[in-house]
Amino acid sequence: MRIELPRAAAPRISVIVTAVATIDRLAACLRSLARSVPPDVPCETIVVLSEATPDTESQVRDMVTGVEVVGSPVNLGMAGAGNLGRAMARGELLVLLHDDAEAEAGWLDAL
């Protein structure tokens, strides 16, 4: 099942998800975002893969639409991956998540 995330032309919020090449946890995180991001909030999602291989990046691109995917062959750690995602972000506000986080209804409105 393909995961579909909204991608606004002019996002107010950039959600940056950092991951270490563990597709199962990342898929659960992205599914939770797809369920919980309000349709009226202009946002984008950026996935930063540490220790990524071309195969891992391809798997993520095949699994989800509406995201920007960037990979690093080395483990950047949470801070390094967050900074890489921040450099790509277009939103006014940034939200940084690790791939083991799962969003619940109302989380973005609460922020």
Side-chain angles (χ1 to χ4, degrees):
M1 180 170 119
R2 197 152 166 92
I3 302 166
E4 295 181 21
L5 287 164
R7 182 174 171 87
R12 176 139 196 259
I13 299 170
S14 295
V15 179
I16 301 166
V17 180
T18 65
V20 181
T22 307
I23 300 299
D24 293 340
R25 283 193 320 206
L26 178 59
C29 178
L30 295 175
R31 275 194 296 276
S32 76
L33 289 174
R35 285 190 306 268
S36 66
V37 171
D40 60 333
V41 175
C43 68
E44 68 178 345
T45 304
I46 300 164
V47 174
V48 180
L49 298 170
S50 286
E51 297 179 355
T53 64
D55 185 51
T56 305
E57 288 184 51
S58 178
Q59 285 178 334
V60 173
R61 285 188 176 92
D62 290 344
M63 173 179 64
V64 63
T65 60
V67 300
E68 199 60 42
V69 179
V70 61
S72 169
V74 298
N75 189 333
L76 299 173
M78 183 73 163
N83 282 330
L84 181 56
R86 180 193 52 78
M88 298 179 65
R90 299 175 297 137
E92 171 189 352
L93 305 170
L94 304 177
V95 177
L96 184 61
L97 296 176
H98 197 268
D99 64 349
D100 61 356
E102 290 192 29
E104 295 186 7
W107 75 279
L108 197 53
D109 292 328
L111 291 176

